[in-house]
Amino acid sequence: MTHGSPLNVLLCGRFDAAEREAWWSALRCAAPQCHWHRDDATFDRTLIDAAVVANPEPGALAALPKLRLIQSLWAGVDKLLADTTLPTQVPLARMVDPAMNAAMAETALWAVLGLHRRFFDYAAQQARAQWQPHAQRRADEVGVLVLGAGQMGSAVAARLSAQGYRVVTWRAREAAPLVPLLAAAEIVINLLPLTPATRGLLDASFFASLPRGASVVNLARGAHVVDADLLAALDSGHLHRAVLDVFHTEPLPVEHAFWRHPQITVLPHVAALTDERSAAQVVAGNLSALANNQTVANIVNRIRGY
Ligand code: GLV
């Protein structure tokens, strides 16, 4: 920061204790010129210029009269936008972190390799002591459809293309017809933002448009998927497998059918965790821009929803 008085910044959200301390030290180290406050201690609401947030309780950002920036530590801001008390006039920045994009590309590559080379099937066969080789296909014979062409979708598409897969991307905003792309996809990877337009997109008709034997990888939000329709498509044998990182309710309730379904692989929302070290640098850059009246990066378009 080159001029003006130091910003007062609030770290606010739902963290476990270790996470909170990690963020607290990473952020103060990246932006030592700011006055830092935290919502698990007393602070003066009238001082706060910016809030750095991770999944805050609804209402947590109301009644901060000087607030000029909300910086999310999460890439997806659907939960924040669902908070009707979120001040509408305050710019909201989502997290765009190259380290997160790289992690997402790794997870997508793992899932696609596992599906293409049938490593998930071999793991299931091992549980049955079943020695059964399957035909080996080349990556360029496998059509992968990436839903979403934003930061993460693009990183995933680039990584899979470099690996030799036949990759096509689709973005909700372009409104290009999805059905012909689904018909040619053997693996679909969902990286869309959750908006009213994309909620429930992965439903019975979506699955029916995929060729028999296709698989679905959901790395975006649980609410993109109609769970009962996914289960029906797997149980009927139309879909081969699903790899799921995100769920309507998280943690996924122990009684949920996904946990024990033989064609489903469950991850506990870890496809791309926010990396404190690199994300703190991103936050520091935006706080510095705010202090210097420069453009803050990655402001969410509230109408569009991401
Ligand atoms: C994770 O899901 C995120 O939005 O950062």
Side-chain angles (χ1 to χ4, degrees):
M1 262 169 246
T2 53
H3 62 81
S5 50
L7 293 179
N8 281 281
V9 186
L10 175 67
L11 174 63
C12 168
R14 276 174 274 182
F15 306 92
D16 68 32
E19 254 178 353
R20 185 183 292 275
E21 292 318 315
W23 280 115
W24 181 245
S25 70
L27 289 164
R28 284 192 317 158
C29 180
Q33 69 281 26
C34 298
H35 290 320
W36 286 90
H37 306 262
R38 45 197 284 172
D39 69 343
D40 62 341
T42 41
F43 64 94
D44 182 350
R45 298 190 78 85
T46 66
L47 287 181
I48 303 301
D49 298 293
V52 175
V53 305
N55 243 342
E57 300 287 351
L61 299 172
L64 295 168
K66 271 179 65 187
L67 192 65
R68 288 189 287 141
L69 175 67
I70 301 166
Q71 169 70 60
S72 175
L73 293 175
W74 284 51
V77 291
D78 44 289
K79 272 221 183 100
L80 272 170
L81 292 179
D83 177 357
T84 54
T85 69
L86 196 74
T88 49
Q89 75 290 357
V90 179
L92 163 63
R94 68 203 165 88
M95 177 51 62
V96 172
D97 171 7
M100 247 179 131
N101 297 339
M104 191 58 96
E106 289 169 357
T107 304
L109 181 58
W110 160 80
V112 169
L113 278 170
L115 292 164
H116 153 220
R117 295 292 310 280
R118 303 194 63 165
F119 298 131
F120 296 112
D121 296 334
Y122 291 126
Q125 286 177 211
Q126 181 178 353
R128 302 190 291 269
Q130 182 188 5
W131 183 278
Q132 170 69 64
H134 300 288
Q136 180 180 295
R137 297 162 63 224
R138 297 197 315 248
D140 65 7
E141 297 175 298
V142 180
V144 181
L145 174 62
V146 178
L147 303 179
Q151 295 287 328
M152 287 181 174
S154 305
V156 164
R159 189 66 178 267
L160 294 174
S161 301
Q163 205 68 34
Y165 291 101
R166 260 196 292 123
V167 179
V168 173
T169 55
W170 180 81
R171 61 165 81 209
R173 227 191 316 164
E174 269 163 18
L178 180 56
V179 169
L181 301 183
L182 290 173
E186 187 168 322
I187 301 171
V188 182
I189 305 181
N190 179 32
L191 285 158
L192 290 167
L194 181 64
T195 69
T198 64
R199 183 177 293 273
L201 181 74
L202 281 67
D203 63 1
S205 77
F206 178 102
F207 300 132
S209 302
L210 289 166
R212 190 175 174 79
S215 294
V216 171
V217 181
N218 188 17
L219 307 178
R221 285 291 182 262
H224 284 123
V225 174
V226 179
D227 289 0
D229 292 359
L230 176 60
L231 287 167
L234 289 165
D235 289 342
S236 73
H238 182 68
L239 290 185
H240 181 56
R241 285 196 168 272
V243 178
L244 307 174
D245 183 53
V246 286
F247 305 92
H248 283 263
T249 305
E250 297 181 5
L252 182 64
V254 284
E255 66 280 3
H256 199 289
F258 287 171
W259 277 118
R260 278 161 291 275
H261 198 288
Q263 293 150 274
I264 294 181
T265 299
V266 168
L267 296 178
H269 202 143
V270 290
L273 300 178
T274 311
D275 180 311
E276 285 108 30
R277 292 153 303 175
S278 54
Q281 297 298 329
V282 174
V283 174
N286 267 352
L287 291 175
S288 164
L290 181 71
N292 293 298
N293 296 316
Q294 291 163 350
T295 311
V296 172
N298 302 306
I299 294 296
V300 169
N301 175 331
R302 303 255 188 135
I303 309 284
R304 205 173 67 181
Y306 61 95

